[in-house]
Amino acid sequence: MAVDSLGEIVIVDPGNAFEDSDGFYIYERSFVGYKAYKDFLEENYPEVKFTVVTEGGVIDFRTCLNPSTCRRFSKDDINLRKESADEYLQSAKGNVVALVLGKKGAERFLSLPCKVVYIAEVTRRIRYAIFHAESSRNGKVGVMDTLRAYLGLWKGELATRKMMRKSAGIQCNGPAAFESYGNLSKNSFLYFDHRVDDVAEKKDFHKSLKSIAFSGNISPLKGSKYIADISWAVYNLNPEIVFYLIGDGPDRQEILEKGAPNIVYKGFMSYKDEWEPFVQKNIDLMVMPHLQGDPSMTYYETLGQGVPIIGFSNETLDFLVSQKMAWSVPQGDVQQLAQKIDGILRAPSELAAASERARRFMTENLYSRVVARRIEHLVSILKANAS
């Protein structure tokens, strides 16, 4: 069959790609995903063209806020186009399916000459939690401001549900999104987004020195305002517990200044070459005090290393707790979180059992399977549209 004869799949990145004299850049996890999609299509559906575009287009790399998290690549590696998503899809010809994050403003893609499949990730409850987490950084928010924000979020929810119903399909990242939006389309399914290619080997939790870690964007949405207090609460219970801080973000310096002596800062790590082996070898329990339940990849990538999770109750973590791969405490309860951390680290058999469940879960949801399901879904829409 001739190449490109079936049609084109266009991945719409919700941000920007970057460029300088050395080449192009995009966030590492995004690159890994897009490369996997392209490779899968080339091997299984050479008749389908694959393209990546970004909503913001390609801009100067010097404007990138987090350059250390980016991956340099050649345009051909993922078939990146320099036009913005709107510009590229506006002139689309033939049988085209676009995969688009279902966020505010994304309904505009429905008017372009392509079939639109939305990614559902953030529910109304998660949006409310994000609002509170972000506003808490600026002090107490007034009642009227809160009411206006809630009204805006509710109107946004109605718009989201309307555009989801008009879509050609919905890919729901995480159980919370599937529960909220999966019934809005007959062509929807649940998946878990991450980059775990292989599950780690069985861990030994009987060693004497114990360690925990926070990994991710060190920002209010991820509960950064609690990290220093958590480190002290854990240190006061057991000063021998090492608390690794992995990643970067706006609150990093404040945490390092106010945190307990048990904090060891590791900085940003490249996912495959540094993060995976470090977490697998060194971490017994991942602490994720997220103030909202977005389906962060770090949850599943942590489980893929055989490391259980503890944090504040939210929509994503509560699902993992129900699968007995994690533990949670009420939002903001630092003392209870520290006590639970200390208790769990003193029970290696309990840790080992949760780790084994995590390894089994991730074996059933390896990234290769996630990629195959997502691309097969898009190809099925191309085929249906071509018939």
Side-chain angles (χ1 to χ4, degrees), residues 53-83:
V53 291
T54 64
E55 288 199 43
V58 177
I59 60 176
D60 194 321
F61 185 54
R62 289 173 296 183
T63 65
C64 180
L65 297 177
N66 297 296
S68 64
T69 65
C70 286
R71 166 81 168 264
R72 182 159 60 88
F73 65 97
S74 166
K75 279 197 304 180
D76 292 341
D77 290 340
I78 58 174
N79 287 344
L80 174 74
R81 295 295 298 256
K82 294 186 69 171
E83 307 101 298

Side-chain angles (χ1 to χ4, degrees), residues 325-375:
M325 302 180 289
W327 298 268
S328 68
V329 302
Q331 288 268 339
D333 194 334
V334 169
Q335 293 303 317
Q336 186 175 340
L337 182 66
Q339 290 167 6
K340 207 167 186 81
I341 289 170
D342 184 52
I344 292 168
L345 293 181
R346 295 178 188 275
S349 59
E350 189 174 353
L351 268 173
S355 173
E356 188 57 33
R357 284 188 284 269
R359 292 171 67 247
R360 285 201 301 269
F361 177 84
M362 292 307 299
T363 298
E364 296 169 0
N365 291 281
L366 286 176
Y367 189 52
S368 58
R369 297 187 180 187
V370 174
V371 168
R373 287 190 67 208
R374 298 188 71 186
I375 295 299

Side-chain angles (χ1 to χ4, degrees), residues 18 25-29 61 64-72 247-249 252 265 267-271 274:
F18 306 94
Y25 302 80
I26 204 164
Y27 294 113
E28 182 194 20
R29 283 179 172 175
F61 185 54
C64 180
L65 297 177
N66 297 296
S68 64
T69 65
C70 286
R71 166 81 168 264
R72 182 159 60 88
D248 205 350
R252 166 181 52 85
Y265 182 53
F268 175 80
M269 294 181 174
S270 64
Y271 172 66
E274 298 175 309

Side-chain angles (χ1 to χ4, degrees), residues 11-16 26-41 50-54 73 77-80 99 119 195 367 371 374-375:
I11 306 297
V12 177
D13 184 286
N16 296 98
I26 204 164
Y27 294 113
E28 182 194 20
R29 283 179 172 175
S30 298
F31 175 84
V32 172
Y34 303 154
K35 185 67 165 62
Y37 299 158
K38 179 175 177 287
D39 290 347
F40 181 86
L41 273 173
F50 177 81
T51 304
V52 175
V53 291
T54 64
F73 65 97
D77 290 340
I78 58 174
N79 287 344
L80 174 74
L99 182 64
I119 301 169
R195 301 293 181 263
Y367 189 52
V371 168
R374 298 188 71 186
I375 295 299

Side-chain angles (χ1 to χ4, degrees), residues 1-8 41-42 44-49 382:
M1 185 177 289
V3 174
D4 298 348
S5 63
L6 180 57
E8 179 180 10
L41 273 173
E42 288 180 345
N44 297 279
Y45 297 98
E47 69 274 23
V48 176
K49 181 181 178 181
L382 276 180

Side-chain angles (χ1 to χ4, degrees), residues 260-275:
N262 60 350
I263 288 186
V264 177
Y265 182 53
K266 300 300 293 185
F268 175 80
M269 294 181 174
S270 64
Y271 172 66
K272 204 69 185 172
D273 296 333
E274 298 175 309
W275 190 90

